């Protein structure tokens, strides 16, 4: 697994700030030292696998934003959709899948007719 310290630091800091947490509060919640958290946010250190996992679980964010930083999956709308999908049950996921497939099929037909 390739972790990019800069990308992880950016994601970590943004997620922390979105929840209005101080660095000390987040360090306590993630069970890490404050200096270690500061190093992560300043891109001076890569997280251990355990810290990486705790962080993405705590903030309910996709690991893809850190592992694949070149993909355009860091915008707020994409992240919000991912968070909401994690809250859905199997029936809701089926409805969402059908709706997305229908939207994409419609988009192809509209694009093809222009």
């Amino acid at each position: 697994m390739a972790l990019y310290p800069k990308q992880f630091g950016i994601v970590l800091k943004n997620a922390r700030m979105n929840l209005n947490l101080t660095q000390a509060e987040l360090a306590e919640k993630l069970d890490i030292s404050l200096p270690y958290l500061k190093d992560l946010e300043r891109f001076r250190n890569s997280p251990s696998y355990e810290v990486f996992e705790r962080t993405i679980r705590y903030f309910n964010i996709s690991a893809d934003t850190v592992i694949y930083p070149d993909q355009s999956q860091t915008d707020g709308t994409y992240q919000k959709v991912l968070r909401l999908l994690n809250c859905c049950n199997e029936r809701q996921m089926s409805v969402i899948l059908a709706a997305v497939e229908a939207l994409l099929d419609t988009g192809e037909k509209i694009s093809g007719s222009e």
Side-chain angles (χ1 to χ4, degrees):
M1 171 172 67
L3 289 178
Y4 300 89
K6 183 175 182 181
Q7 186 65 19
F8 182 78
I10 291 168
V11 169
L12 177 65
K13 185 174 184 177
N14 288 340
R16 176 179 64 78
M17 293 178 77
N18 285 341
L19 292 181
N20 297 314
L21 293 172
T22 65
Q23 288 177 322
E25 290 169 331
L26 181 58
E28 184 177 326
K29 291 182 184 298
L30 295 178
D31 194 28
I32 60 176
S33 72
L34 181 56
Y36 181 54
L37 176 68
K38 288 180 177 184
D39 282 349
L40 292 173
E41 286 192 0
R42 292 181 189 139
F43 329 130
R44 293 183 182 160
N45 205 343
S46 293
S48 67
Y49 176 78
E50 291 80 16
V51 170
F52 177 77
E53 183 181 12
R54 272 185 268 159
T55 302
I56 63 172
R57 286 183 185 276
Y58 178 77
F59 289 114
N60 194 24
I61 56 177
S62 170
D64 289 349
T65 59
V66 178
I67 298 172
Y68 305 109
D70 296 330
Q71 294 180 356
S72 62
Q73 299 174 345
T74 56
D75 73 89
T77 303
Y78 181 86
Q79 291 301 315
K80 187 173 182 180
V81 169
L82 283 179
R83 283 191 297 277
L84 291 172
L85 287 174
N86 286 325
C87 299
C88 294
N89 62 33
E90 191 61 34
R91 184 181 179 318
Q92 292 166 325
M93 291 294 284
S94 296
V95 171
I96 292 167
L97 177 62
V100 170
E101 288 174 340
L103 282 170
L104 292 175
D105 286 345
T106 302
E108 287 178 14
K109 290 175 186 172
I110 292 171
S111 297
S113 64
E114 295 178 341

Short mmCIF file of all heavy atoms in Angstrom, two decimals, residues 15-51:
data_model
loop_
_atom_site.label_atom_id
_atom_site.label_comp_id
_atom_site.label_asym_id
_atom_site.label_seq_id
_atom_site.Cartn_x
_atom_site.Cartn_y
_atom_site.Cartn_z
N ALA A 15 -10.08 16.95 7.54
CA ALA A 15 -11.13 16.22 8.26
C ALA A 15 -11.21 16.70 9.72
O ALA A 15 -12.30 16.88 10.26
CB ALA A 15 -10.85 14.72 8.20
N ARG A 16 -10.07 16.91 10.33
CA ARG A 16 -10.03 17.41 11.72
C ARG A 16 -10.69 18.78 11.81
O ARG A 16 -11.52 19.02 12.69
CB ARG A 16 -8.58 17.49 12.21
CG ARG A 16 -8.45 18.08 13.60
CD ARG A 16 -7.01 18.13 14.07
NE ARG A 16 -6.16 19.01 13.27
CZ ARG A 16 -6.13 20.33 13.38
NH1 ARG A 16 -6.94 20.96 14.20
NH2 ARG A 16 -5.29 21.04 12.62
N MET A 17 -10.34 19.65 10.90
CA MET A 17 -10.89 21.01 10.93
C MET A 17 -12.38 21.03 10.63
O MET A 17 -13.12 21.84 11.19
CB MET A 17 -10.10 21.90 9.98
CG MET A 17 -8.66 22.10 10.46
SD MET A 17 -7.66 23.10 9.37
CE MET A 17 -8.28 24.72 9.79
N ASN A 18 -12.83 20.13 9.76
CA ASN A 18 -14.27 20.04 9.45
C ASN A 18 -15.09 19.68 10.68
O ASN A 18 -16.25 20.05 10.79
CB ASN A 18 -14.53 19.03 8.34
CG ASN A 18 -14.15 19.55 6.98
OD1 ASN A 18 -14.01 20.75 6.77
ND2 ASN A 18 -13.95 18.64 6.04
N LEU A 19 -14.48 18.94 11.61
CA LEU A 19 -15.17 18.57 12.85
C LEU A 19 -14.84 19.53 14.00
O LEU A 19 -15.23 19.28 15.14
CB LEU A 19 -14.82 17.14 13.26
CG LEU A 19 -15.34 16.03 12.36
CD1 LEU A 19 -14.93 14.67 12.91
CD2 LEU A 19 -16.85 16.10 12.21
N ASN A 20 -14.11 20.59 13.68
CA ASN A 20 -13.71 21.58 14.68
C ASN A 20 -12.98 20.95 15.87
O ASN A 20 -13.24 21.30 17.02
CB ASN A 20 -14.93 22.39 15.17
CG ASN A 20 -15.55 23.19 14.07
OD1 ASN A 20 -14.86 23.86 13.30
ND2 ASN A 20 -16.87 23.11 13.96
N LEU A 21 -12.10 20.02 15.57
CA LEU A 21 -11.29 19.38 16.60
C LEU A 21 -9.92 20.03 16.67
O LEU A 21 -9.36 20.41 15.64
CB LEU A 21 -11.09 17.89 16.29
CG LEU A 21 -12.30 16.99 16.33
CD1 LEU A 21 -11.95 15.60 15.79
CD2 LEU A 21 -12.84 16.88 17.74
N THR A 22 -9.40 20.16 17.87
CA THR A 22 -8.02 20.62 18.00
C THR A 22 -7.11 19.43 17.72
O THR A 22 -7.56 18.26 17.73
CB THR A 22 -7.73 21.14 19.42
OG1 THR A 22 -7.84 20.05 20.34
CG2 THR A 22 -8.69 22.27 19.80
N GLN A 23 -5.85 19.70 17.51
CA GLN A 23 -4.91 18.61 17.31
C GLN A 23 -4.84 17.73 18.55
O GLN A 23 -4.78 16.51 18.44
CB GLN A 23 -3.52 19.16 16.97
CG GLN A 23 -3.43 19.74 15.58
CD GLN A 23 -2.06 20.32 15.29
OE1 GLN A 23 -1.43 20.93 16.14
NE2 GLN A 23 -1.60 20.14 14.06
N ALA A 24 -4.88 18.34 19.72
CA ALA A 24 -4.82 17.57 20.97
C ALA A 24 -6.04 16.65 21.11
O ALA A 24 -5.90 15.49 21.52
CB ALA A 24 -4.72 18.51 22.17
N GLU A 25 -7.22 17.16 20.75
CA GLU A 25 -8.44 16.34 20.84
C GLU A 25 -8.36 15.15 19.89
O GLU A 25 -8.70 14.02 20.26
CB GLU A 25 -9.67 17.18 20.52
CG GLU A 25 -10.01 18.20 21.57
CD GLU A 25 -11.08 19.19 21.13
OE1 GLU A 25 -11.19 19.48 19.90
OE2 GLU A 25 -11.79 19.71 22.00
N LEU A 26 -7.89 15.41 18.66
CA LEU A 26 -7.81 14.32 17.70
C LEU A 26 -6.75 13.30 18.10
O LEU A 26 -6.97 12.10 17.97
CB LEU A 26 -7.53 14.85 16.29
CG LEU A 26 -7.46 13.77 15.21
CD1 LEU A 26 -8.76 12.95 15.15
CD2 LEU A 26 -7.14 14.38 13.86
N ALA A 27 -5.62 13.77 18.57
CA ALA A 27 -4.56 12.85 19.01
C ALA A 27 -5.11 11.91 20.08
O ALA A 27 -4.85 10.70 20.04
CB ALA A 27 -3.36 13.63 19.53
N GLU A 28 -5.89 12.44 20.99
CA GLU A 28 -6.48 11.60 22.04
C GLU A 28 -7.46 10.60 21.45
O GLU A 28 -7.45 9.42 21.80
CB GLU A 28 -7.18 12.48 23.07
CG GLU A 28 -7.73 11.70 24.24
CD GLU A 28 -8.37 12.60 25.29
OE1 GLU A 28 -7.89 13.73 25.50
OE2 GLU A 28 -9.36 12.15 25.91
N LYS A 29 -8.30 11.05 20.53
CA LYS A 29 -9.30 10.16 19.92
C LYS A 29 -8.65 9.04 19.11
O LYS A 29 -9.16 7.94 19.04
CB LYS A 29 -10.28 10.96 19.07
CG LYS A 29 -11.18 11.86 19.89
CD LYS A 29 -12.17 12.60 19.02
CE LYS A 29 -13.00 13.56 19.81
NZ LYS A 29 -13.84 12.98 20.83
N LEU A 30 -7.52 9.36 18.45
CA LEU A 30 -6.83 8.35 17.64
C LEU A 30 -5.82 7.55 18.45
O LEU A 30 -5.17 6.65 17.92
CB LEU A 30 -6.14 9.02 16.45
CG LEU A 30 -7.04 9.67 15.41
CD1 LEU A 30 -6.20 10.33 14.33
CD2 LEU A 30 -8.01 8.67 14.81
N ASP A 31 -5.66 7.92 19.71
CA ASP A 31 -4.72 7.26 20.61
C ASP A 31 -3.29 7.33 20.09
O ASP A 31 -2.58 6.33 20.00
CB ASP A 31 -5.14 5.80 20.85
CG ASP A 31 -4.41 5.18 22.03
OD1 ASP A 31 -4.02 5.92 22.95
OD2 ASP A 31 -4.22 3.94 22.02
N ILE A 32 -2.90 8.55 19.71
CA ILE A 32 -1.53 8.81 19.27
C ILE A 32 -1.01 10.04 19.99
O ILE A 32 -1.80 10.80 20.57
CB ILE A 32 -1.43 9.00 17.73
CG1 ILE A 32 -2.28 10.19 17.26
CG2 ILE A 32 -1.82 7.72 17.00
CD1 ILE A 32 -2.15 10.51 15.78
N SER A 33 0.28 10.25 19.96
CA SER A 33 0.85 11.41 20.63
C SER A 33 0.59 12.67 19.80
O SER A 33 0.47 12.62 18.57
CB SER A 33 2.34 11.23 20.85
OG SER A 33 3.04 11.33 19.62
N LEU A 34 0.54 13.78 20.49
CA LEU A 34 0.34 15.07 19.82
C LEU A 34 1.49 15.38 18.86
O LEU A 34 1.23 15.79 17.71
CB LEU A 34 0.15 16.19 20.84
CG LEU A 34 -0.10 17.59 20.28
CD1 LEU A 34 -1.30 17.62 19.34
CD2 LEU A 34 -0.29 18.58 21.43
N PRO A 35 2.76 15.17 19.26
CA PRO A 35 3.85 15.43 18.29
C PRO A 35 3.74 14.57 17.03
O PRO A 35 4.02 15.04 15.93
CB PRO A 35 5.11 15.09 19.08
CG PRO A 35 4.73 15.29 20.51
CD PRO A 35 3.29 14.86 20.59
N TYR A 36 3.30 13.31 17.18
CA TYR A 36 3.13 12.43 16.02
C TYR A 36 2.04 12.97 15.09
O TYR A 36 2.21 13.02 13.87
CB TYR A 36 2.82 11.01 16.49
CG TYR A 36 2.64 9.99 15.41
CD1 TYR A 36 3.60 9.78 14.43
CD2 TYR A 36 1.50 9.18 15.37
CE1 TYR A 36 3.44 8.81 13.44
CE2 TYR A 36 1.33 8.21 14.40
CZ TYR A 36 2.30 8.04 13.43
OH TYR A 36 2.14 7.09 12.46
N LEU A 37 0.93 13.40 15.67
CA LEU A 37 -0.15 13.98 14.87
C LEU A 37 0.33 15.21 14.13
O LEU A 37 0.06 15.38 12.93
CB LEU A 37 -1.36 14.32 15.73
CG LEU A 37 -2.51 15.01 14.98
CD1 LEU A 37 -3.16 14.06 13.99
CD2 LEU A 37 -3.52 15.58 15.94
N LYS A 38 1.06 16.07 14.82
CA LYS A 38 1.58 17.28 14.17
C LYS A 38 2.52 16.92 13.02
O LYS A 38 2.46 17.54 11.95
CB LYS A 38 2.30 18.15 15.20
CG LYS A 38 1.35 18.84 16.16
CD LYS A 38 2.10 19.70 17.16
CE LYS A 38 1.14 20.43 18.07
NZ LYS A 38 1.82 21.36 18.99
N ASP A 39 3.35 15.91 13.22
CA ASP A 39 4.25 15.46 12.13
C ASP A 39 3.44 14.95 10.95
O ASP A 39 3.80 15.18 9.79
CB ASP A 39 5.21 14.38 12.63
CG ASP A 39 6.37 14.94 13.43
OD1 ASP A 39 6.55 16.18 13.44
OD2 ASP A 39 7.09 14.14 14.05
N LEU A 40 2.36 14.23 11.21
CA LEU A 40 1.52 13.73 10.12
C LEU A 40 0.90 14.89 9.34
O LEU A 40 0.89 14.87 8.11
CB LEU A 40 0.41 12.81 10.67
CG LEU A 40 0.86 11.48 11.25
CD1 LEU A 40 -0.31 10.77 11.91
CD2 LEU A 40 1.48 10.60 10.17
N GLU A 41 0.41 15.88 10.04
CA GLU A 41 -0.23 17.02 9.36
C GLU A 41 0.78 17.89 8.63
O GLU A 41 0.41 18.60 7.70
CB GLU A 41 -1.02 17.86 10.37
CG GLU A 41 -2.31 17.22 10.79
CD GLU A 41 -3.24 18.16 11.56
OE1 GLU A 41 -2.88 19.34 11.76
OE2 GLU A 41 -4.33 17.70 11.93
N ARG A 42 2.03 17.82 9.02
CA ARG A 42 3.08 18.62 8.36
C ARG A 42 3.85 17.79 7.33
O ARG A 42 4.89 18.23 6.84
CB ARG A 42 4.06 19.14 9.41
CG ARG A 42 3.47 20.17 10.32
CD ARG A 42 4.52 20.65 11.32
NE ARG A 42 3.93 21.47 12.33
CZ ARG A 42 4.24 21.42 13.62
NH1 ARG A 42 5.17 20.60 14.05
NH2 ARG A 42 3.64 22.21 14.47
N PHE A 43 3.39 16.61 7.03
CA PHE A 43 3.97 15.72 6.02
C PHE A 43 5.37 15.24 6.40
O PHE A 43 6.17 14.88 5.54
CB PHE A 43 4.02 16.35 4.63
CG PHE A 43 2.92 17.33 4.32
CD1 PHE A 43 3.22 18.58 3.81
CD2 PHE A 43 1.59 17.01 4.53
CE1 PHE A 43 2.22 19.49 3.51
CE2 PHE A 43 0.58 17.91 4.24
CZ PHE A 43 0.90 19.15 3.73
N ARG A 44 5.69 15.23 7.67
CA ARG A 44 7.02 14.81 8.13
C ARG A 44 7.09 13.33 8.45
O ARG A 44 8.16 12.82 8.76
CB ARG A 44 7.43 15.61 9.37
CG ARG A 44 7.65 17.06 9.07
CD ARG A 44 8.13 17.78 10.30
NE ARG A 44 8.30 19.20 10.01
CZ ARG A 44 8.33 20.12 10.93
NH1 ARG A 44 8.23 19.81 12.21
NH2 ARG A 44 8.48 21.39 10.59
N ASN A 45 5.95 12.66 8.41
CA ASN A 45 5.91 11.25 8.78
C ASN A 45 4.76 10.59 8.05
O ASN A 45 3.75 11.23 7.76
CB ASN A 45 5.72 11.13 10.30
CG ASN A 45 6.25 9.84 10.85
OD1 ASN A 45 6.49 8.88 10.13
ND2 ASN A 45 6.45 9.80 12.17
N SER A 46 4.91 9.31 7.76
CA SER A 46 3.82 8.52 7.20
C SER A 46 3.13 7.79 8.35
O SER A 46 3.80 7.36 9.30
CB SER A 46 4.35 7.49 6.20
OG SER A 46 4.86 8.12 5.07
N PRO A 47 1.83 7.61 8.26
CA PRO A 47 1.14 6.91 9.34
C PRO A 47 1.43 5.41 9.30
O PRO A 47 1.67 4.85 8.23
CB PRO A 47 -0.33 7.17 9.04
CG PRO A 47 -0.37 7.32 7.55
CD PRO A 47 0.92 8.01 7.19
N SER A 48 1.40 4.80 10.46
CA SER A 48 1.45 3.34 10.50
C SER A 48 0.12 2.83 9.92
O SER A 48 -0.86 3.60 9.82
CB SER A 48 1.61 2.85 11.94
OG SER A 48 0.44 3.16 12.69
N TYR A 49 0.08 1.58 9.58
CA TYR A 49 -1.16 1.02 9.05
C TYR A 49 -2.29 1.18 10.06
O TYR A 49 -3.41 1.54 9.71
CB TYR A 49 -0.99 -0.46 8.68
CG TYR A 49 -2.28 -1.08 8.21
CD1 TYR A 49 -2.76 -0.85 6.92
CD2 TYR A 49 -3.05 -1.85 9.06
CE1 TYR A 49 -3.96 -1.37 6.50
CE2 TYR A 49 -4.25 -2.39 8.65
CZ TYR A 49 -4.70 -2.15 7.37
OH TYR A 49 -5.90 -2.66 6.96
N GLU A 50 -1.98 0.95 11.34
CA GLU A 50 -3.00 1.04 12.39
C GLU A 50 -3.55 2.46 12.51
O GLU A 50 -4.76 2.65 12.62
CB GLU A 50 -2.43 0.58 13.74
CG GLU A 50 -2.12 -0.89 13.81
CD GLU A 50 -0.80 -1.28 13.13
OE1 GLU A 50 0.05 -0.39 12.87
OE2 GLU A 50 -0.63 -2.47 12.84
N VAL A 51 -2.68 3.44 12.46
CA VAL A 51 -3.12 4.83 12.55
C VAL A 51 -3.91 5.22 11.30
O VAL A 51 -4.93 5.90 11.38
CB VAL A 51 -1.93 5.78 12.78
CG1 VAL A 51 -2.34 7.25 12.64
CG2 VAL A 51 -1.31 5.52 14.15
#
